Amino acid sequence: IFVDDLAENVIVLDPGANALLQTADVDVSAAAIRSSGALLMQLEVPLETILHAAWVAEAAEVHVVLNAAPARPLPQELLRMVDTLVVNEAELEVVSGSRGNPQNAASDLLERGPGSVLVTLGREGCLLVTHGGIITVPAFVVTAVDTTAAGDIFTAAYAVASLEGRDPEWCLRFAAAAAAIKVTRQGAQPGMPLRREVEQFLESRI
């Protein structure tokens, strides 16, 4: 992962071990998936494996969260098993096949199967599109030094807040706060904030 002069990350991917994750590996962990509140996945492993894991989760009524990165077109079979699809603007274009207004593209994508579409817009905030409507939340203003893993942290924080039964707007703010803290720090894992740090950040921004 490289970071450019604007603090944006440029990722060079060599799948390595990720490409070796097979459906049999999912079966080994199937009990853990079935006993979970949510299954969070991205697209750095084989699509067949992702489909199988989603099928295991759906059969057990486990909430499926898919962060569609690295972006690729997704089959209808997978989209209909996803409860929350998370994409940034570039990924939204690839997955939806359309350019232009993110709200319109996300709304069109919603009709293809996922329960909701969550679009991260960087400095512009984020938006959540559901069959009940659209919720937008602005980004917190911070000085970014490294955006690496900000999307991953946003997605994980949103999943945690959702599992706690928080209302959607609170979930988005919680996730945005976690990502905002991250981009002020160098490194992916070292830059991840603790729960208390996110809560303190939110309290300071009320």
Side-chain angles (χ1 to χ4, degrees):
I1 300 174
F2 301 93
V3 180
D4 66 20
D5 293 337
L6 298 177
E8 297 292 337
N9 62 77
V10 180
I11 299 174
V12 178
L13 179 64
D14 181 358
N18 284 3
L20 301 178
L21 189 68
Q22 304 298 314
T23 57
D25 299 307
V26 174
D27 290 334
V28 170
S29 300
I33 294 174
R34 296 187 184 104
S35 64
S36 299
L39 172 65
L40 196 160
M41 301 184 290
Q42 33 78 330
L43 299 177
E44 292 185 8
V45 300
L47 187 59
E48 180 183 2
T49 305
I50 294 168
L51 277 163
H52 189 61
W55 178 82
V56 171
E58 184 195 39
E61 299 184 347
V62 173
H63 191 97
V64 177
V65 182
L66 178 63
N67 183 6
R72 69 173 79 170
L74 298 177
Q76 183 75 28
E77 180 185 5
L78 177 58
L79 286 174
R80 72 167 186 80
M81 291 190 287
V82 173
D83 296 292
T84 303
L85 178 66
V86 184
V87 289
N88 62 25
E89 286 186 89
E91 292 156 359
L92 176 61
E93 287 187 9
V94 174
V95 176
S96 69
S98 62
R99 298 183 178 181
N101 187 298
Q103 289 191 12
N104 294 338
S107 296
D108 291 343
L109 186 55
L110 185 71
E111 299 304 316
R112 292 165 53 188
S116 62
V117 179
L118 174 51
V119 185
T120 58
L121 301 168
R123 295 179 177 86
E124 302 302 316
C126 59
L127 63 92
L128 177 68
V129 180
T130 70
H131 291 287
I134 298 173
I135 300 173
T136 60
V137 168
F140 292 101
V141 179
V142 296
T143 300
V145 297
D146 182 1
T147 61
T148 306
D152 301 307
I153 289 168
F154 179 98
T155 303
Y158 179 83
V160 168
S162 296
L163 288 176
E164 293 175 350
R166 304 279 190 165
D167 69 80
E169 184 171 352
W170 194 95
C171 294
L172 293 174
R173 282 181 51 79
F174 182 78
I181 295 171
K182 162 61 205 74
V183 301
T184 65
R185 302 172 177 176
Q186 291 284 355
Q189 295 182 7
M192 290 190 291
L194 299 173
R195 172 66 181 256
R196 60 177 171 77
E197 292 178 311
V198 179
E199 293 174 343
Q200 289 169 357
F201 181 92
L202 285 170
E203 289 175 0
S204 72
R205 299 301 179 107
I206 293 176

